[in-house]
Amino acid sequence: MASLEPKVAVLMGSASDADVMQGCRDLLESLEIPYEMKVLSAHRTPDQTREYVMSAAAKGIEVIIAAAGWAAHLAGVAAAYTTLPVIGVPIDSSPLHGMDALLATVQMPPGIPVATMAVGSGGARNAAIFAAEILALKFSPIAQRVAAYRAEMTRETLRKAQDFESGK
Ligand code: RP5
């Protein structure tokens, strides 16, 4: 649900991160959370990154998701320029399969936290859910959709377990 009044900003270090981040978009849409996507690099477009993040809160953004690979400074740089919660997604785009991005994103020095998700597409999905959980503190319809999502996941897991255990 890309809309004119996004509550979540999804930043990616490169357009090449889009496939890994598709699950994040899908979940934000199914949870009906308005968001906008931006390609902004801490290294290649530092001025634009700073400008966007510094103006995000004023235009209604409440949570920032920042996904990047390699020496992934995007989430940390975003967190440096705002007190909005920043959720980091390490992307597995490098020869180190995301271990570099994981450490660069998670190992923020004390004072400027980044809530770091798992590496890759699983982390991308969790970033959307975590953003929804933050917004759910303020918006009860989002809280209801998060609860419904989780209940459905539980039902689906039990259904699959039952199928497996009964040899289907
Ligand atoms: C990172 O470098 C991006 O987040 C991406 O994961 C990686 C490679 O970017 P491209 O060279 O494909 O643009 O900054």
Side-chain angles (χ1 to χ4, degrees):
M1 182 183 289
S3 96
L4 291 179
E5 292 173 2
K7 289 190 169 46
V8 175
V10 182
L11 315 185
M12 300 184 301
S14 168
S16 67
D17 298 323
D19 285 353
V20 177
M21 290 305 286
Q22 187 59 48
C24 178
R25 300 183 70 162
D26 293 344
L27 267 168
L28 289 172
E29 303 219 354
S30 72
L31 292 167
E32 297 177 52
I33 294 171
Y35 69 94
E36 70 178 8
M37 305 280 299
K38 301 294 287 183
V39 175
L40 287 167
S41 166
H43 311 276
R44 295 168 177 166
T45 61
D47 294 344
Q48 291 80 359
T49 300
R50 176 177 175 276
E51 193 181 325
Y52 178 83
V53 172
M54 287 187 77
S55 61
K59 67 180 193 184
I61 297 293
E62 302 197 26
V63 181
I64 292 177
I65 295 171
W70 293 67
H73 297 123
L74 183 59
V77 165
Y81 285 122
T82 183
T83 53
L84 293 174
V86 174
I87 302 170
V89 181
I91 301 289
D92 44 343
S93 55
S94 79
L96 299 184
H97 308 294
M99 183 58 81
D100 42 2
L102 171 63
L103 293 177
T105 306
V106 78
Q107 281 293 90
M108 285 299 289
I112 309 289
V114 166
T116 304
M117 303 291 108
V119 174
S121 58
R125 293 173 59 83
N126 275 351
I129 299 166
F130 198 55
E133 289 175 348
I134 292 169
L135 294 170
L137 294 169
K138 185 172 167 190
F139 302 103
S140 60
I142 295 178
Q144 286 162 15
R145 291 196 285 276
V146 170
Y149 168 80
R150 191 171 285 204
E152 174 52 27
M153 184 170 51
T154 300
R155 277 194 296 275
E156 176 71 7
T157 302
L158 290 172
R159 211 166 24 237
K160 283 181 181 164
Q162 212 168 25
D163 287 353
F164 174 80
E165 286 157 17
S166 65
K168 274 190 198 165

